[in-house]
Amino acid sequence: MLQISKLNAWYGASHALQDISLEVARGEIVCLIGRNGAGKTTTLKSIMGLMDRTRGSVIFKGKELLQQPAHIRFALGLAYVPEERRIVQGLSVRENLRLGLVASAEKKREAELIGEIAMIFPRLAERMDQEAVTMSGGEQQMLAIARAMIAKPDLIMLDEPSEGIMPVLVDEMFELFRSMKAQGTTVLLVEQNVELALDIADRAYVLDQGAVVHQASAQDLLADDEIKERYCSV
């Protein structure tokens, strides 16, 4: 579904990504792991078209997207949940969900899709008319994921979804990811909790200083204490 080849990205003069290559097949959960500053978030932003300067190839469902703006990538079925969530202050949970459909062909099914989201996220169902920013951090993260899911993307990219969230909600969130995979959703995941991420993933890529330094099945990486210690501690 997604094929990245020799992807480079820059922040000003800083060469942040150096020839990143990776693949995500339909229905997979693939993790990007590595220390802070390794280039994981920059990789997701580059795939989504949110970096000013990039070079290489981003092929999604057979189409080259490198020169396409983010809204075109979204319309083609690519979704991104950034680390900072971007919940809109002053809007209710329901209104934030509706924002996920603004540029979607699914907009005419708004009521039906919000109903489906309410079934998947019972915590949000109880808070539909509550101002979204008054919820807990974990509930806001669920809303950010739900807002991306509501437009039925083919691939969803998640950046550090468990950061700053109570353990009980983290467990609930990762059960959701298992359910998404079982229903055929394709996921590219950046996650600080390496063992939890690898436990639900099919494969993983290890990044260090803007480059892929290792790739393997998730189970092989779970068993490799040296790789985890060397590249995955914060």
Side-chain angles (χ1 to χ4, degrees):
M1 179 176 286
L2 178 69
Q3 184 174 20
I4 309 302
S5 299
K6 295 185 177 181
L7 181 62
N8 290 260
W10 289 262
Y11 291 102
S14 176
H15 195 174
L17 297 185
Q18 301 173 37
D19 289 337
I20 295 285
S21 294
L22 62 90
E23 295 180 350
V24 184
R26 187 177 298 274
E28 278 192 314
I29 295 180
V30 173
C31 291
L32 302 182
I33 57 180
R35 294 174 180 268
N36 286 342
K40 305 182 301 295
T41 293
T42 303
T43 298
L44 298 190
K45 291 173 67 177
S46 298
I47 294 169
M48 197 67 215
L50 300 175
M51 293 290 292
D52 290 335
R53 186 179 168 205
T54 54
R55 185 183 69 209
S57 178
V58 177
I59 296 176
F60 180 58
K61 298 192 298 184
K63 298 175 181 174
E64 176 60 67
L65 298 185
L66 191 71
Q67 302 303 321
Q68 298 294 333
H71 72 274
I72 296 296
R73 303 185 196 205
F74 171 77
L76 289 170
L78 189 59
Y80 172 46
V81 180
E83 186 177 356
E84 60 270 22
R85 301 172 191 154
R86 298 181 184 175
I87 303 303
V88 181
Q89 189 169 0
L91 298 185
S92 68
V93 169
R94 187 187 311 276
E95 289 165 336
N96 268 276
L97 287 172
R98 292 177 65 191
L99 291 177
L101 292 169
V102 166
S104 171
E106 302 282 350
K107 184 172 173 55
K108 57 184 178 297
R109 300 174 54 218
E110 180 181 291
E112 177 188 349
L113 292 172
I114 289 177
E116 290 179 9
I117 287 293
M119 293 179 67
I120 297 169
F121 297 88
R123 287 178 180 269
L124 299 184
E126 298 168 1
R127 295 162 172 77
M128 279 292 175
D129 297 314
Q130 179 177 334
E131 185 177 354
V133 295
T134 65
M135 298 192 300
S136 72
E139 290 162 347
Q140 289 187 42
Q141 183 65 68
M142 289 184 178
L143 174 57
I145 295 168
R147 187 175 57 192
M149 287 176 60
I150 197 169
K152 305 285 188 184
D154 295 301
L155 188 152
I156 184 168
M157 300 187 293
L158 303 171
D159 194 354
E160 302 283 12
S162 76
E163 185 174 11
I165 295 176
M166 294 183 299
V168 63
L169 284 183
V170 171
D171 291 342
E172 190 174 320
M173 190 174 298
F174 274 77
E175 283 305 311
L176 167 67
F177 299 157
R178 289 184 191 276
S179 175
M180 289 165 60
K181 175 177 167 57
Q183 295 170 19
T185 302
T186 306
V187 179
L188 182 57
L189 173 66
V190 167
E191 174 53 50
Q192 61 182 343
N193 193 323
V194 172
E195 292 193 0
L196 263 182
L198 292 177
D199 189 52
I200 66 168
D202 297 286
R203 295 183 299 108
Y205 293 83
V206 181
L207 272 63
D208 188 35
Q209 297 183 8
V212 173
V213 294
H214 191 74
Q215 58 179 295
S217 73
Q219 291 305 306
D220 284 349
L221 280 174
L222 267 175
D224 194 329
D225 292 334
E226 181 181 353
I227 287 286
K228 288 191 293 183
E229 182 176 352
R230 184 174 181 182
Y231 294 112
C232 305
S233 57
V234 295

